[in-house]
Each structure stands twice: as C-alpha cells, then as structure tokens.
Amino acid sequence: MQSPNLPNSKTIRAILGDGRLKEAVERLQFSAEQQQWLPVAFAARQLSAEVRGLDGEIWQAARPDAESLEVERQQLTRKAEQLLQQFKAWEKDPDGQAKAFDTAHREKIDLFLLGIKTRREGKAPEAIRVFTQVIQKEPAFTEAYVERAALLMQQPAPDWQQALEDLNTALRISPNHPLALTNRGYLYVHFYQDLHQACADWKEVQQMGFPVADALIEQYCKNR
C-alpha cells in the first residue's frame, strides 16, 4: 500500500496537466524511489535528466532553437505520461509488478554478462550487438552504454558519434560515472580535438579519487 505522505498518481497527473513537467517527473521519481519501485525509479531518473538537459541544467554540445525545444518538450511530456501509467500499475499491484520485474531483470543481467564474455573472447561486433539488445530491453542500463561505447571507439572504423551519444546517455543516468567520463574525455581529444572538455572530464574523475585519469591529465592537461 502506498504511503499517504508520498505523491500518488493523481497528484502527479495534476502537476503534469498544469504544464509543470520537471516537478511532475521529480515527484514521480521520489515516490518510486521511496517505495523501491525500481524500474519506475530508474526510468524516472533518466527522464529527469532529459528534462534537466532541456532546461539547460546539463551540458549539451549545442542548444536547439525555440521551436525544436518545444517539440522536444512535447516528446518528453508524452514520455512522462507513459511513465505515469507504469507508476499507476505499481500503485495498483506492487507485489505482482515486483515479481514480474525480478524475472525480467535476471534475464537482462544474464544478457549483459554474455556481452562481457563475448567481448573478452575478442568478438567485438557480436558483443556490440549483445549490448544493444540489453539497451533495447533496459534503456536505463548504464553499464551497457559504457561497454558499447568503448567497443565502438576501438573498431577499425570507430563510430565516434554513437560512442559519444552512449557516454552522454550513461552520464545522464549515472552522473559522475568515472569510466564514462574517462572515455568521453578520450573521445573529445581524438574526435573533436576538444582538449578543454577532455581535461574537464578527467579532472572530475581525479577529484572523485579515481587514479584512472592521472596519466591522461599528466599527458594532456599540465598547462590547463
């Protein structure tokens, strides 16, 4: 049973209907997290990051024009409405939804581990396909984006653009992910020749206490 102190679907629907998209998503995320409705919470977290990006709170390569912003806001509002339906399903039958989630979650973890095994066997194209399947099944699976991005960057003909999209998505889901930041910095140097942004990413990793970026900072960022 849902706590009376947490926002319910009716309250969130009213906020969304009033055009307060960011507030609606944040309240939905908070309620889902407090009740440990994990798939709803994960999806809400990702959607919240997308909304914050739309409002300019998260770095973007370029800001779209007003018309494009409005189109994107409408798309995100539709996503919020779909997520609210999922929230209502958990509200109605949390035990049944949790049981179904546990089964599906195990399947996605097993598929992800298959991707890791395939990568270690040196079968990069096949591993990319497996990680893509994981992402299709669970769009909020951070590590699948990070793994796919690394493989895309290592190919004989690297897909830098898709790799950047994957890393940005990973960081929207899991801000400050050290490996995603490290790899994105490498990508900025080798594809965009953007040393300033690369050093910013690596220094953020270093400040979190991870030594993985030290050598890169020593090589590229000594005077920055």
Side-chain angles (χ1 to χ4, degrees):
M1 183 176 180
Q2 184 175 16
S3 168
N5 297 321
L6 293 172
N8 58 27
S9 57
K10 184 177 180 180
T11 300
I12 296 166
R13 165 63 67 187
I15 295 170
L16 188 59
D18 196 35
R20 292 177 285 162
L21 174 60
K22 180 182 175 183
E23 181 181 350
V25 174
E26 286 177 345
R27 291 204 181 193
L28 190 155
Q29 178 184 347
F30 175 75
S31 185
E33 287 177 345
Q34 292 300 306
Q35 296 171 99
Q36 298 186 344
W37 298 348
L38 297 183
V40 181
F42 290 156
R45 183 177 181 178
Q46 183 175 6
L47 181 57
S48 179
E50 292 184 65
V51 173
R52 287 163 55 211
L54 183 70
D55 291 340
E57 297 180 21
I58 297 178
W59 179 87
Q60 292 181 331
R63 292 292 294 160
D65 56 40
E67 183 177 351
S68 297
L69 281 172
E70 180 56 30
V71 170
E72 188 173 352
R73 182 170 295 278
Q74 292 174 4
Q75 292 173 342
L76 293 179
T77 299
R78 286 194 291 271
K79 283 187 179 181
E81 291 170 346
Q82 293 169 357
L83 184 57
L84 183 57
Q85 292 302 313
Q86 188 179 356
F87 181 94
K88 288 174 69 175
W90 278 79
E91 203 173 47
K92 182 178 180 180
D93 182 16
D95 291 339
Q97 293 292 326
K99 184 176 179 180
F101 169 69
D102 287 343
T103 300
H105 188 62
R106 280 196 298 272
E107 292 174 354
K108 286 176 279 195
I109 292 293
D110 288 344
L111 189 59
F112 176 77
L113 293 175
L114 174 61
I116 296 294
K117 178 177 179 291
T118 305
R119 171 177 61 76
R120 289 174 176 169
E121 292 172 349
K123 303 173 184 176
E126 184 178 340
I128 290 171
R129 286 193 292 272
V130 173
F131 290 129
T132 299
Q133 291 175 29
V134 176
I135 290 166
Q136 290 170 343
K137 290 177 178 293
E138 179 49 76
F141 204 130
T142 305
E143 300 303 329
Y145 289 101
V146 176
E147 290 287 342
R148 186 172 72 173
L151 287 168
L152 290 170
M153 292 165 62
Q154 295 166 9
Q155 296 308 291
D159 189 343
W160 298 107
Q161 186 60 47
Q162 183 60 58
L164 178 60
E165 290 178 14
D166 280 359
L167 293 171
N168 284 340
T169 300
L171 289 165
R172 284 196 295 270
I173 301 167
S174 301
N176 303 322
H177 190 292
L179 184 55
L181 283 166
T182 301
N183 288 351
R184 190 173 70 173
Y186 181 88
L187 187 152
Y188 279 134
V189 168
H190 291 275
F191 182 61
Y192 288 106
Q193 289 78 52
D194 187 346
L195 190 56
H196 174 77
Q197 186 61 48
C199 290
D201 279 355
W202 294 332
K203 288 177 180 178
E204 187 172 345
V205 174
Q206 188 180 55
Q207 288 169 4
M208 288 186 287
F210 293 96
V212 64
D214 289 352
L216 293 166
I217 291 172
E218 177 67 20
Q219 180 178 355
Y220 292 101
C221 310
K222 293 179 70 172
N223 299 318
R224 289 180 176 270

